[in-house]
Amino acid sequence: MTDTIATVRIATVNDAAVLASLRYRFRSETGTPLESREKFITRCRAWMTTHLRGDNRWFVWIAEKRDRICGHVWIQLVEKVPNPVDEAEQHAYVTNLYVIPEARGEGIGGALLSAALTWCRGAGVHSAFLWTRPESRVFYQRYGFLPSQELLALVVSQSGKANPTR
């Protein structure tokens, strides 16, 4: 896929099926799936369709080459409770940055992240945060991400899965 330059655009609800398929591909590269591809894609597509339909918290940028989606990045806006003092109230969670293996090394990941961060600046986001694997740290650091001394985390559940019965 190296013969054309990728274009980056905001995803729409019409992209949900391809994005769900790419999500399965992405996560299957890093671990063994616990559900079938078909079951996951059906579940993920429904979730993505809901969130791409004007959720106002989730935003997705996709990279396309020759009308084929070859990468994406997701941003979730995280609001804090309003403050009467000078303290930031809006942050962005960066997640699911993925470029298909055959399109890697062409600057597509950087183009996606740059587009998302440019949007964040225009939307008044104070800070962006993410979880990363060790092999991705250098990539994110090139865009200004640094380890935080302010953020604390606590694992409250081993599964981390939503519990729809609560």
Side-chain angles (χ1 to χ4, degrees), residues 36-99:
S36 72
R37 182 179 189 280
E38 295 74 24
K39 183 177 179 182
F40 175 81
I41 289 174
T42 298
R43 180 171 66 88
C44 188
R45 181 180 184 178
W47 184 93
M48 289 179 172
T49 297
T50 298
H51 288 81
L52 289 170
R53 192 172 272 141
D55 179 288
N56 293 329
R57 289 179 303 146
W58 283 99
F59 300 88
V60 186
W61 288 261
I62 61 173
E64 290 181 308
K65 290 181 75 173
R66 291 178 285 151
D67 297 324
R68 179 177 173 217
I69 296 174
C70 59
H72 51 75
V73 63
W74 290 68
I75 296 276
Q76 181 185 30
L77 289 182
V78 178
E79 292 180 291
K80 289 177 67 179
V81 175
N83 286 295
V85 298
D86 186 20
E87 186 173 311
E89 295 179 4
Q90 187 161 261
H91 305 277
Y93 166 48
V94 179
T95 188
N96 202 34
L97 175 58
Y98 178 70
V99 176

Side-chain angles (χ1 to χ4, degrees), residues 129-148:
F129 63 94
L130 54 86
W131 283 265
T132 184
R133 295 189 315 260
E135 60 270 21
S136 301
R137 275 186 180 268
V138 171
F139 169 79
Y140 289 107
Q141 288 172 332
R142 283 197 308 259
Y143 291 86
F145 286 85
L146 300 170
S148 172

